[in-house]
Amino acid sequence: MPSSRHASRHVTSSNESRRRRGRALDVVPRIFWATTAVVTGAAIGLVGLVAHDAPGHAASATQTSSSSSGRATATTPSSTTPSSTTPSSTTPSSRSKSNTTTTTLEPTTTTPVAVSGGTSR
Amino acid sequence: VTADLLTPSATQLGVARRRAWGTSMTIVVRPGLARPGAERILDAGLDAVERACSRFRPDAEIWGLSRAGGSPVPTSALLFDLVTAACEAAERTDGAVDPTVGRALETLGYDRDFDNVVDGPRWTSARPVPAPGWRTIALDSRHRAVGVPPGVVLDLGATAKAWTADHVARRVAAQPGVGALVALGGDVAMAGPPPPGGWPVGIALDSATPVGEVDTVVAAWRGGIATSSTTVRTWQAGGHAVHHIVDPATGDCASRHWLAASVAAPSCVDANAASTAAIIWGEEAPERLEAMRLPARLIRHDGVVLTLGGWPHDGEPHDHDDTVERR
């Protein structure tokens, strides 16, 4: 019956796959595990970096939202990293649409360490 | 170190003050031991930027652009970055913040360090000079050259101050474990690890307001907060009071629809561009700022305070955006 043949082919295919996988594991076990280790390490590093960079160490690198808790999160194209020694190499339009970062504000009653106001004397 | 600025939860902060560019400047670092190095970075940054782009120094590199008769001029990396940042701000604000307003400012009498403008106001009857527009500036990144049409005077004041705040804060914070807040004439940049609870930043019409007399306080962790105001840095010209925020389209002072606009953004340059543009946009400012998804606090000419984009309600946590209150 077609269904049996199909199942048989499927099983066959599965068996062949297992054999191929077994041969592959026999041939390149070290490459496989080395690649897995590198990928896992990179993922852990990336998660750690994002968590460290987020305001208050919250894992929110690029999300745009305005929550009901009084916290404001904004996402806009960031300006380029200032450098007095590295020549600029891109046009303004391409640079202005490059990276994204976040800014978070919360109300506080702490005595300010600086004042943002109109530029005066 | 100014002891009265230190809060119980931030006793490890180091604070230093400067006076430059006709205004006051503050740098705050944690831990406090990083303060001497931070001061050196601040002083070097202020000096370098002034030598690159001050309109009030005849030997500033930027004047070479105006003297070139429109030909592209190879520049230092610093000046190229400053001009580029100004053009980017112009692009993001649809030209509301435009570096080609130098001639317009001169016509209004702002042709010298602001301390001297106030001390000796220039009276003029000249008509306002619309800005030729930032798109007339030719940027050649490959050769790091800038071309400015004959007669055009660049004024990078709006963005250069914020750029310097960003630059200094990031340089200081490049040291492992060091966090920095740099406030240059009301433009605030933050980088590196902040104090517990964030950097408390006071908001006021005037950046010279004592920290105990600010309108409201917000905590920020990184990026920038900038405030533009039509009530400070004013002088007399042509028989009437003017201020330093020029509408590029007219060459005259922007309307006083808003007394002040404060904006938070991922960088101080972005915050400064948006807050300056908000003044120039007038009634359209709330809609445009919301489109930019930036937290903002606007004070209208009648004293009404408008917060949007999630900017915290003055004095206490809030549950709504686009809140309005009266001062």
Side-chain angles (χ1 to χ4, degrees), chain A residues 53 66 72 74 76-77 82-83 88 95-96 101 103 106 113-114 116-121, chain B residues 19 23 81 88 170 185-186 200 202 204-207 219 222 227 265-266 270 293 310 321:
Chain A
D53 282 351
S66 180
T76 63
S83 169
S88 303
R95 291 165 59 122
S96 65
T101 54
T103 297
E106 286 186 354
V113 296
S116 178
T119 304
S120 70
R121 305 181 71 190
Chain B
R19 178 158 185 84
T23 188
D81 280 348
E88 289 175 348
R170 289 169 184 166
L205 285 175
D206 188 335
S207 61
R222 59 188 297 183
T227 298
D270 290 342
R293 297 177 174 175
D321 289 339

PDB file of all heavy atoms in Angstrom, chain A residues 53 66 72 74 76-77 82-83 88 95-96 101 103 106 113-114 116-121, chain B residues 19 23 81 88 170 185-186 200 202 204-207 219 222 227 265-266 270 293 310 321:
ATOM      1  N   ASP A  53      24.362  46.203  29.661  1.00  0.00           N
ATOM      2  CA  ASP A  53      24.184  47.511  29.044  1.00  0.00           C
ATOM      3  C   ASP A  53      22.831  48.116  29.320  1.00  0.00           C
ATOM      4  O   ASP A  53      22.665  49.328  29.271  1.00  0.00           O
ATOM      5  CB  ASP A  53      24.383  47.405  27.521  1.00  0.00           C
ATOM      6  CG  ASP A  53      25.863  47.344  27.169  1.00  0.00           C
ATOM      7  OD1 ASP A  53      26.671  47.552  28.095  1.00  0.00           O
ATOM      8  OD2 ASP A  53      26.186  47.085  26.009  1.00  0.00           O
ATOM      9  N   SER A  66       6.348  52.781  26.313  1.00  0.00           N
ATOM     10  CA  SER A  66       6.046  53.773  27.328  1.00  0.00           C
ATOM     11  C   SER A  66       5.125  53.102  28.319  1.00  0.00           C
ATOM     12  O   SER A  66       3.942  52.948  28.075  1.00  0.00           O
ATOM     13  CB  SER A  66       5.377  54.990  26.703  1.00  0.00           C
ATOM     14  OG  SER A  66       5.081  55.937  27.698  1.00  0.00           O
ATOM     15  N   ALA A  72       9.984  55.717  31.143  1.00  0.00           N
ATOM     16  CA  ALA A  72       9.930  56.017  29.714  1.00  0.00           C
ATOM     17  C   ALA A  72      11.113  55.389  29.021  1.00  0.00           C
ATOM     18  O   ALA A  72      12.238  55.500  29.478  1.00  0.00           O
ATOM     19  CB  ALA A  72       9.959  57.527  29.497  1.00  0.00           C
ATOM     20  N   ALA A  74      12.899  55.139  25.274  1.00  0.00           N
ATOM     21  CA  ALA A  74      12.879  55.702  23.929  1.00  0.00           C
ATOM     22  C   ALA A  74      13.926  55.037  23.073  1.00  0.00           C
ATOM     23  O   ALA A  74      15.004  54.704  23.538  1.00  0.00           O
ATOM     24  CB  ALA A  74      13.155  57.203  23.972  1.00  0.00           C
ATOM     25  N   THR A  76      15.843  55.699  19.441  1.00  0.00           N
ATOM     26  CA  THR A  76      16.083  56.522  18.263  1.00  0.00           C
ATOM     27  C   THR A  76      17.439  56.165  17.723  1.00  0.00           C
ATOM     28  O   THR A  76      18.253  55.555  18.401  1.00  0.00           O
ATOM     29  CB  THR A  76      16.086  58.023  18.598  1.00  0.00           C
ATOM     30  OG1 THR A  76      17.165  58.270  19.498  1.00  0.00           O
ATOM     31  CG2 THR A  76      14.783  58.464  19.189  1.00  0.00           C
ATOM     32  N   PRO A  77      17.702  56.564  16.489  1.00  0.00           N
ATOM     33  CA  PRO A  77      19.056  56.352  15.979  1.00  0.00           C
ATOM     34  C   PRO A  77      20.047  57.109  16.840  1.00  0.00           C
ATOM     35  O   PRO A  77      19.849  58.281  17.135  1.00  0.00           O
ATOM     36  CB  PRO A  77      19.000  56.940  14.563  1.00  0.00           C
ATOM     37  CG  PRO A  77      17.562  56.930  14.210  1.00  0.00           C
ATOM     38  CD  PRO A  77      16.835  57.158  15.502  1.00  0.00           C
ATOM     39  N   PRO A  82      31.762  59.693  19.440  1.00  0.00           N
ATOM     40  CA  PRO A  82      32.704  60.782  19.223  1.00  0.00           C
ATOM     41  C   PRO A  82      34.137  60.285  19.215  1.00  0.00           C
ATOM     42  O   PRO A  82      34.509  59.421  19.978  1.00  0.00           O
ATOM     43  CB  PRO A  82      32.447  61.702  20.417  1.00  0.00           C
ATOM     44  CG  PRO A  82      31.105  61.333  20.915  1.00  0.00           C
ATOM     45  CD  PRO A  82      30.953  59.877  20.615  1.00  0.00           C
ATOM     46  N   SER A  83      34.915  60.807  18.362  1.00  0.00           N
ATOM     47  CA  SER A  83      36.322  60.452  18.319  1.00  0.00           C
ATOM     48  C   SER A  83      37.101  61.585  17.703  1.00  0.00           C
ATOM     49  O   SER A  83      36.731  62.114  16.671  1.00  0.00           O
ATOM     50  CB  SER A  83      36.521  59.184  17.483  1.00  0.00           C
ATOM     51  OG  SER A  83      37.891  59.000  17.242  1.00  0.00           O
ATOM     52  N   SER A  88      35.975  60.226  10.033  1.00  0.00           N
ATOM     53  CA  SER A  88      34.644  59.762   9.693  1.00  0.00           C
ATOM     54  C   SER A  88      34.699  59.083   8.337  1.00  0.00           C
ATOM     55  O   SER A  88      35.452  59.472   7.464  1.00  0.00           O
ATOM     56  CB  SER A  88      33.681  60.934   9.658  1.00  0.00           C
ATOM     57  OG  SER A  88      33.688  61.589  10.891  1.00  0.00           O
ATOM     58  N   ARG A  95      25.083  57.364   8.684  1.00  0.00           N
ATOM     59  CA  ARG A  95      25.499  57.261  10.081  1.00  0.00           C
ATOM     60  C   ARG A  95      24.320  57.437  11.014  1.00  0.00           C
ATOM     61  O   ARG A  95      24.223  56.758  12.032  1.00  0.00           O
ATOM     62  CB  ARG A  95      26.544  58.326  10.392  1.00  0.00           C
ATOM     63  CG  ARG A  95      27.863  58.084   9.703  1.00  0.00           C
ATOM     64  CD  ARG A  95      28.696  59.338   9.753  1.00  0.00           C
ATOM     65  NE  ARG A  95      28.946  59.758  11.116  1.00  0.00           N
ATOM     66  CZ  ARG A  95      30.163  59.900  11.605  1.00  0.00           C
ATOM     67  NH1 ARG A  95      31.199  59.637  10.876  1.00  0.00           N
ATOM     68  NH2 ARG A  95      30.335  60.324  12.829  1.00  0.00           N
ATOM     69  N   SER A  96      23.406  58.324  10.664  1.00  0.00           N
ATOM     70  CA  SER A  96      22.325  58.629  11.582  1.00  0.00           C
ATOM     71  C   SER A  96      21.320  57.505  11.680  1.00  0.00           C
ATOM     72  O   SER A  96      20.483  57.510  12.564  1.00  0.00           O
ATOM     73  CB  SER A  96      21.610  59.899  11.133  1.00  0.00           C
ATOM     74  OG  SER A  96      20.974  59.691   9.894  1.00  0.00           O
ATOM     75  N   THR A 101      19.859  52.586  20.639  1.00  0.00           N
ATOM     76  CA  THR A 101      20.058  52.356  22.054  1.00  0.00           C
ATOM     77  C   THR A 101      18.825  52.881  22.770  1.00  0.00           C
ATOM     78  O   THR A 101      17.897  53.378  22.154  1.00  0.00           O
ATOM     79  CB  THR A 101      21.302  53.095  22.579  1.00  0.00           C
ATOM     80  OG1 THR A 101      21.180  54.472  22.239  1.00  0.00           O
ATOM     81  CG2 THR A 101      22.553  52.530  21.952  1.00  0.00           C
ATOM     82  N   THR A 103      16.987  55.000  26.258  1.00  0.00           N
ATOM     83  CA  THR A 103      17.110  55.937  27.357  1.00  0.00           C
ATOM     84  C   THR A 103      15.924  55.737  28.274  1.00  0.00           C
ATOM     85  O   THR A 103      14.799  55.638  27.814  1.00  0.00           O
ATOM     86  CB  THR A 103      17.116  57.381  26.846  1.00  0.00           C
ATOM     87  OG1 THR A 103      18.253  57.574  26.017  1.00  0.00           O
ATOM     88  CG2 THR A 103      17.166  58.365  28.001  1.00  0.00           C
ATOM     89  N   GLU A 106      13.098  57.860  35.212  1.00  0.00           N
ATOM     90  CA  GLU A 106      12.170  57.541  36.288  1.00  0.00           C
ATOM     91  C   GLU A 106      12.099  58.735  37.228  1.00  0.00           C
ATOM     92  O   GLU A 106      13.076  59.469  37.374  1.00  0.00           O
ATOM     93  CB  GLU A 106      12.613  56.295  37.055  1.00  0.00           C
ATOM     94  CG  GLU A 106      12.397  55.007  36.287  1.00  0.00           C
ATOM     95  CD  GLU A 106      12.718  53.786  37.134  1.00  0.00           C
ATOM     96  OE1 GLU A 106      13.216  53.964  38.267  1.00  0.00           O
ATOM     97  OE2 GLU A 106      12.489  52.667  36.661  1.00  0.00           O
ATOM     98  N   VAL A 113      22.413  65.828  41.085  1.00  0.00           N
ATOM     99  CA  VAL A 113      23.850  66.090  41.025  1.00  0.00           C
ATOM    100  C   VAL A 113      24.175  67.081  39.917  1.00  0.00           C
ATOM    101  O   VAL A 113      25.301  67.577  39.827  1.00  0.00           O
ATOM    102  CB  VAL A 113      24.650  64.785  40.800  1.00  0.00           C
ATOM    103  CG1 VAL A 113      24.474  63.850  41.980  1.00  0.00           C
ATOM    104  CG2 VAL A 113      24.244  64.097  39.507  1.00  0.00           C
ATOM    105  N   ALA A 114      23.210  67.340  39.048  1.00  0.00           N
ATOM    106  CA  ALA A 114      23.421  68.294  37.956  1.00  0.00           C
ATOM    107  C   ALA A 114      22.060  68.824  37.530  1.00  0.00           C
ATOM    108  O   ALA A 114      21.022  68.256  37.870  1.00  0.00           O
ATOM    109  CB  ALA A 114      24.125  67.631  36.784  1.00  0.00           C
ATOM    110  N   SER A 116      19.733  70.187  34.249  1.00  0.00           N
ATOM    111  CA  SER A 116      19.509  70.425  32.831  1.00  0.00           C
ATOM    112  C   SER A 116      18.564  71.606  32.707  1.00  0.00           C
ATOM    113  O   SER A 116      17.414  71.546  33.145  1.00  0.00           O
ATOM    114  CB  SER A 116      18.896  69.190  32.160  1.00  0.00           C
ATOM    115  OG  SER A 116      18.643  69.461  30.793  1.00  0.00           O
ATOM    116  N   GLY A 117      19.070  72.667  32.131  1.00  0.00           N
ATOM    117  CA  GLY A 117      18.266  73.866  31.970  1.00  0.00           C
ATOM    118  C   GLY A 117      18.766  74.640  30.772  1.00  0.00           C
ATOM    119  O   GLY A 117      19.746  74.249  30.123  1.00  0.00           O
ATOM    120  N   GLY A 118      18.104  75.718  30.465  1.00  0.00           N
ATOM    121  CA  GLY A 118      18.557  76.548  29.366  1.00  0.00           C
ATOM    122  C   GLY A 118      19.962  77.041  29.633  1.00  0.00           C
ATOM    123  O   GLY A 118      20.330  77.326  30.772  1.00  0.00           O
ATOM    124  N   THR A 119      20.761  77.129  28.572  1.00  0.00           N
ATOM    125  CA  THR A 119      22.149  77.553  28.724  1.00  0.00           C
ATOM    126  C   THR A 119      22.206  79.007  29.163  1.00  0.00           C
ATOM    127  O   THR A 119      21.750  79.896  28.453  1.00  0.00           O
ATOM    128  CB  THR A 119      22.914  77.396  27.405  1.00  0.00           C
ATOM    129  OG1 THR A 119      22.791  76.046  26.979  1.00  0.00           O
ATOM    130  CG2 THR A 119      24.383  77.750  27.583  1.00  0.00           C
ATOM    131  N   SER A 120      22.747  79.218  30.339  1.00  0.00           N
ATOM    132  CA  SER A 120      22.836  80.580  30.852  1.00  0.00           C
ATOM    133  C   SER A 120      24.258  80.856  31.285  1.00  0.00           C
ATOM    134  O   SER A 120      25.157  80.055  31.077  1.00  0.00           O
ATOM    135  CB  SER A 120      21.889  80.755  32.043  1.00  0.00           C
ATOM    136  OG  SER A 120      22.367  80.028  33.145  1.00  0.00           O
ATOM    137  N   ARG A 121      24.454  81.980  31.874  1.00  0.00           N
ATOM    138  CA  ARG A 121      25.789  82.309  32.361  1.00  0.00           C
ATOM    139  C   ARG A 121      26.071  81.495  33.600  1.00  0.00           C
ATOM    140  O   ARG A 121      27.127  81.337  34.034  1.00  0.00           O
ATOM    141  CB  ARG A 121      25.880  83.792  32.689  1.00  0.00           C
ATOM    142  CG  ARG A 121      25.494  84.664  31.516  1.00  0.00           C
ATOM    143  CD  ARG A 121      25.609  86.110  31.839  1.00  0.00           C
ATOM    144  NE  ARG A 121      26.999  86.508  31.945  1.00  0.00           N
ATOM    145  CZ  ARG A 121      27.394  87.684  32.402  1.00  0.00           C
ATOM    146  NH1 ARG A 121      26.516  88.559  32.824  1.00  0.00           N
ATOM    147  NH2 ARG A 121      28.668  88.003  32.459  1.00  0.00           N
TER     148      ARG A 121
ATOM    149  N   ARG B  19      34.155  76.767  34.438  1.00  0.00           N
ATOM    150  CA  ARG B  19      33.433  77.818  33.733  1.00  0.00           C
ATOM    151  C   ARG B  19      34.113  78.006  32.387  1.00  0.00           C
ATOM    152  O   ARG B  19      35.312  78.300  32.313  1.00  0.00           O
ATOM    153  CB  ARG B  19      33.440  79.127  34.519  1.00  0.00           C
ATOM    154  CG  ARG B  19      32.712  80.209  33.733  1.00  0.00           C
ATOM    155  CD  ARG B  19      32.200  81.350  34.554  1.00  0.00           C
ATOM    156  NE  ARG B  19      31.446  82.219  33.668  1.00  0.00           N
ATOM    157  CZ  ARG B  19      30.174  82.030  33.347  1.00  0.00           C
ATOM    158  NH1 ARG B  19      29.522  81.020  33.869  1.00  0.00           N
ATOM    159  NH2 ARG B  19      29.551  82.825  32.517  1.00  0.00           N
ATOM    160  N   THR B  23      29.458  79.750  30.092  1.00  0.00           N
ATOM    161  CA  THR B  23      28.474  79.078  30.930  1.00  0.00           C
ATOM    162  C   THR B  23      29.199  78.193  31.943  1.00  0.00           C
ATOM    163  O   THR B  23      30.426  78.129  31.960  1.00  0.00           O
ATOM    164  CB  THR B  23      27.503  78.237  30.062  1.00  0.00           C
ATOM    165  OG1 THR B  23      26.443  77.741  30.873  1.00  0.00           O
ATOM    166  CG2 THR B  23      28.226  77.070  29.414  1.00  0.00           C
ATOM    167  N   ASP B  81      33.977  65.474  12.503  1.00  0.00           N
ATOM    168  CA  ASP B  81      32.945  64.828  13.332  1.00  0.00           C
ATOM    169  C   ASP B  81      31.930  65.855  13.834  1.00  0.00           C
ATOM    170  O   ASP B  81      30.733  65.578  13.898  1.00  0.00           O
ATOM    171  CB  ASP B  81      33.586  64.108  14.515  1.00  0.00           C
ATOM    172  CG  ASP B  81      34.153  62.750  14.121  1.00  0.00           C
ATOM    173  OD1 ASP B  81      33.852  62.280  13.005  1.00  0.00           O
ATOM    174  OD2 ASP B  81      34.899  62.168  14.934  1.00  0.00           O
ATOM    175  N   GLU B  88      23.806  65.827  10.883  1.00  0.00           N
ATOM    176  CA  GLU B  88      22.900  64.750  11.286  1.00  0.00           C
ATOM    177  C   GLU B  88      21.743  65.297  12.114  1.00  0.00           C
ATOM    178  O   GLU B  88      20.588  64.878  11.958  1.00  0.00           O
ATOM    179  CB  GLU B  88      23.668  63.693  12.082  1.00  0.00           C
ATOM    180  CG  GLU B  88      24.630  62.880  11.245  1.00  0.00           C
ATOM    181  CD  GLU B  88      25.473  61.927  12.078  1.00  0.00           C
ATOM    182  OE1 GLU B  88      25.465  62.056  13.326  1.00  0.00           O
ATOM    183  OE2 GLU B  88      26.128  61.075  11.495  1.00  0.00           O
ATOM    184  N   ARG B 170      31.889  59.636  27.618  1.00  0.00           N
ATOM    185  CA  ARG B 170      32.292  58.315  27.125  1.00  0.00           C
ATOM    186  C   ARG B 170      33.771  58.062  27.336  1.00  0.00           C
ATOM    187  O   ARG B 170      34.181  56.933  27.633  1.00  0.00           O
ATOM    188  CB  ARG B 170      31.930  58.200  25.642  1.00  0.00           C
ATOM    189  CG  ARG B 170      30.430  58.105  25.411  1.00  0.00           C
ATOM    190  CD  ARG B 170      30.088  58.267  23.945  1.00  0.00           C
ATOM    191  NE  ARG B 170      28.639  58.272  23.736  1.00  0.00           N
ATOM    192  CZ  ARG B 170      28.048  58.659  22.611  1.00  0.00           C
ATOM    193  NH1 ARG B 170      28.778  59.074  21.594  1.00  0.00           N
ATOM    194  NH2 ARG B 170      26.739  58.631  22.494  1.00  0.00           N
ATOM    195  N   GLY B 185      26.588  73.545  30.449  1.00  0.00           N
ATOM    196  CA  GLY B 185      25.578  74.566  30.225  1.00  0.00           C
ATOM    197  C   GLY B 185      24.172  74.016  30.095  1.00  0.00           C
ATOM    198  O   GLY B 185      23.387  74.517  29.293  1.00  0.00           O
ATOM    199  N   GLY B 186      23.867  72.989  30.857  1.00  0.00           N
ATOM    200  CA  GLY B 186      22.517  72.437  30.847  1.00  0.00           C
ATOM    201  C   GLY B 186      22.333  71.219  29.978  1.00  0.00           C
ATOM    202  O   GLY B 186      21.283  70.571  30.022  1.00  0.00           O
ATOM    203  N   PRO B 200      20.576  61.351  39.377  1.00  0.00           N
ATOM    204  CA  PRO B 200      19.482  62.310  39.589  1.00  0.00           C
ATOM    205  C   PRO B 200      19.787  63.643  38.908  1.00  0.00           C
ATOM    206  O   PRO B 200      20.785  64.289  39.224  1.00  0.00           O
ATOM    207  CB  PRO B 200      19.427  62.457  41.118  1.00  0.00           C
ATOM    208  CG  PRO B 200      20.787  62.094  41.595  1.00  0.00           C
ATOM    209  CD  PRO B 200      21.400  61.165  40.586  1.00  0.00           C
ATOM    210  N   GLY B 202      18.327  67.398  37.859  1.00  0.00           N
ATOM    211  CA  GLY B 202      17.313  68.419  38.058  1.00  0.00           C
ATOM    212  C   GLY B 202      16.947  69.083  36.741  1.00  0.00           C
ATOM    213  O   GLY B 202      17.778  69.225  35.857  1.00  0.00           O
ATOM    214  N   ALA B 204      15.216  72.546  35.073  1.00  0.00           N
ATOM    215  CA  ALA B 204      14.865  73.935  35.385  1.00  0.00           C
ATOM    216  C   ALA B 204      14.923  74.769  34.117  1.00  0.00           C
ATOM    217  O   ALA B 204      15.469  74.343  33.100  1.00  0.00           O
ATOM    218  CB  ALA B 204      15.832  74.495  36.433  1.00  0.00           C
ATOM    219  N   LEU B 205      14.348  75.956  34.179  1.00  0.00           N
ATOM    220  CA  LEU B 205      14.443  76.869  33.038  1.00  0.00           C
ATOM    221  C   LEU B 205      15.888  77.268  32.778  1.00  0.00           C
ATOM    222  O   LEU B 205      16.316  77.387  31.634  1.00  0.00           O
ATOM    223  CB  LEU B 205      13.613  78.125  33.304  1.00  0.00           C
ATOM    224  CG  LEU B 205      12.096  78.020  33.193  1.00  0.00           C
ATOM    225  CD1 LEU B 205      11.453  79.337  33.601  1.00  0.00           C
ATOM    226  CD2 LEU B 205      11.687  77.658  31.774  1.00  0.00           C
ATOM    227  N   ASP B 206      16.611  77.449  33.868  1.00  0.00           N
ATOM    228  CA  ASP B 206      17.966  77.994  33.794  1.00  0.00           C
ATOM    229  C   ASP B 206      18.948  76.964  34.346  1.00  0.00           C
ATOM    230  O   ASP B 206      18.769  76.458  35.457  1.00  0.00           O
ATOM    231  CB  ASP B 206      18.005  79.283  34.635  1.00  0.00           C
ATOM    232  CG  ASP B 206      19.312  80.036  34.482  1.00  0.00           C
ATOM    233  OD1 ASP B 206      20.326  79.412  34.146  1.00  0.00           O
ATOM    234  OD2 ASP B 206      19.303  81.265  34.715  1.00  0.00           O
ATOM    235  N   SER B 207      19.982  76.666  33.584  1.00  0.00           N
ATOM    236  CA  SER B 207      20.953  75.675  34.040  1.00  0.00           C
ATOM    237  C   SER B 207      21.718  76.141  35.267  1.00  0.00           C
ATOM    238  O   SER B 207      22.355  75.325  35.941  1.00  0.00           O
ATOM    239  CB  SER B 207      21.938  75.352  32.910  1.00  0.00           C
ATOM    240  OG  SER B 207      22.660  76.516  32.530  1.00  0.00           O
ATOM    241  N   ALA B 219      15.506  60.528  37.343  1.00  0.00           N
ATOM    242  CA  ALA B 219      16.667  59.642  37.393  1.00  0.00           C
ATOM    243  C   ALA B 219      16.907  59.077  36.000  1.00  0.00           C
ATOM    244  O   ALA B 219      15.974  58.613  35.354  1.00  0.00           O
ATOM    245  CB  ALA B 219      16.430  58.521  38.393  1.00  0.00           C
ATOM    246  N   ARG B 222      21.654  56.514  31.457  1.00  0.00           N
ATOM    247  CA  ARG B 222      22.623  56.661  30.368  1.00  0.00           C
ATOM    248  C   ARG B 222      22.053  57.608  29.332  1.00  0.00           C
ATOM    249  O   ARG B 222      20.904  58.028  29.424  1.00  0.00           O
ATOM    250  CB  ARG B 222      22.922  55.301  29.743  1.00  0.00           C
ATOM    251  CG  ARG B 222      21.675  54.645  29.183  1.00  0.00           C
ATOM    252  CD  ARG B 222      21.902  53.239  28.738  1.00  0.00           C
ATOM    253  NE  ARG B 222      22.860  53.173  27.636  1.00  0.00           N
ATOM    254  CZ  ARG B 222      23.195  52.045  27.013  1.00  0.00           C
ATOM    255  NH1 ARG B 222      22.668  50.913  27.410  1.00  0.00           N
ATOM    256  NH2 ARG B 222      24.029  52.047  26.016  1.00  0.00           N
ATOM    257  N   THR B 227      18.002  70.641  27.756  1.00  0.00           N
ATOM    258  CA  THR B 227      16.911  71.605  27.903  1.00  0.00           C
ATOM    259  C   THR B 227      17.256  72.848  27.102  1.00  0.00           C
ATOM    260  O   THR B 227      18.367  73.377  27.209  1.00  0.00           O
ATOM    261  CB  THR B 227      16.701  71.968  29.381  1.00  0.00           C
ATOM    262  OG1 THR B 227      16.325  70.794  30.103  1.00  0.00           O
ATOM    263  CG2 THR B 227      15.611  73.029  29.521  1.00  0.00           C
ATOM    264  N   ALA B 265      17.242  61.434  25.502  1.00  0.00           N
ATOM    265  CA  ALA B 265      17.519  60.669  24.283  1.00  0.00           C
ATOM    266  C   ALA B 265      18.728  59.774  24.523  1.00  0.00           C
ATOM    267  O   ALA B 265      19.424  59.901  25.534  1.00  0.00           O
ATOM    268  CB  ALA B 265      17.772  61.622  23.114  1.00  0.00           C
ATOM    269  N   PRO B 266      18.981  58.880  23.595  1.00  0.00           N
ATOM    270  CA  PRO B 266      20.124  57.979  23.763  1.00  0.00           C
ATOM    271  C   PRO B 266      21.472  58.681  23.803  1.00  0.00           C
ATOM    272  O   PRO B 266      22.457  58.101  24.239  1.00  0.00           O
ATOM    273  CB  PRO B 266      20.020  57.063  22.538  1.00  0.00           C
ATOM    274  CG  PRO B 266      18.578  57.060  22.199  1.00  0.00           C
ATOM    275  CD  PRO B 266      18.123  58.461  22.480  1.00  0.00           C
ATOM    276  N   ASP B 270      21.514  63.943  20.496  1.00  0.00           N
ATOM    277  CA  ASP B 270      20.129  63.715  20.076  1.00  0.00           C
ATOM    278  C   ASP B 270      19.153  64.513  20.937  1.00  0.00           C
ATOM    279  O   ASP B 270      18.183  65.086  20.438  1.00  0.00           O
ATOM    280  CB  ASP B 270      19.784  62.227  20.175  1.00  0.00           C
ATOM    281  CG  ASP B 270      20.511  61.403  19.130  1.00  0.00           C
ATOM    282  OD1 ASP B 270      20.991  61.990  18.149  1.00  0.00           O
ATOM    283  OD2 ASP B 270      20.604  60.177  19.306  1.00  0.00           O
ATOM    284  N   ARG B 293       9.590  59.525  19.378  1.00  0.00           N
ATOM    285  CA  ARG B 293       9.561  58.595  20.518  1.00  0.00           C
ATOM    286  C   ARG B 293      10.574  58.986  21.589  1.00  0.00           C
ATOM    287  O   ARG B 293      11.309  58.139  22.108  1.00  0.00           O
ATOM    288  CB  ARG B 293       9.789  57.165  20.045  1.00  0.00           C
ATOM    289  CG  ARG B 293       8.700  56.678  19.122  1.00  0.00           C
ATOM    290  CD  ARG B 293       8.969  55.299  18.609  1.00  0.00           C
ATOM    291  NE  ARG B 293       7.866  54.782  17.829  1.00  0.00           N
ATOM    292  CZ  ARG B 293       7.877  53.632  17.177  1.00  0.00           C
ATOM    293  NH1 ARG B 293       8.948  52.864  17.241  1.00  0.00           N
ATOM    294  NH2 ARG B 293       6.844  53.227  16.485  1.00  0.00           N
ATOM    295  N   GLY B 310       6.297  59.520  27.921  1.00  0.00           N
ATOM    296  CA  GLY B 310       6.624  58.805  29.139  1.00  0.00           C
ATOM    297  C   GLY B 310       7.487  59.584  30.109  1.00  0.00           C
ATOM    298  O   GLY B 310       7.931  59.035  31.118  1.00  0.00           O
ATOM    299  N   ASP B 321       0.770  59.059  29.773  1.00  0.00           N
ATOM    300  CA  ASP B 321       1.543  59.929  28.907  1.00  0.00           C
ATOM    301  C   ASP B 321       0.715  61.170  28.611  1.00  0.00           C
ATOM    302  O   ASP B 321      -0.477  61.230  28.911  1.00  0.00           O
ATOM    303  CB  ASP B 321       1.867  59.224  27.598  1.00  0.00           C
ATOM    304  CG  ASP B 321       2.889  58.123  27.835  1.00  0.00           C
ATOM    305  OD1 ASP B 321       3.603  58.183  28.854  1.00  0.00           O
ATOM    306  OD2 ASP B 321       2.931  57.214  27.021  1.00  0.00           O
TER     307      ASP B 321
END
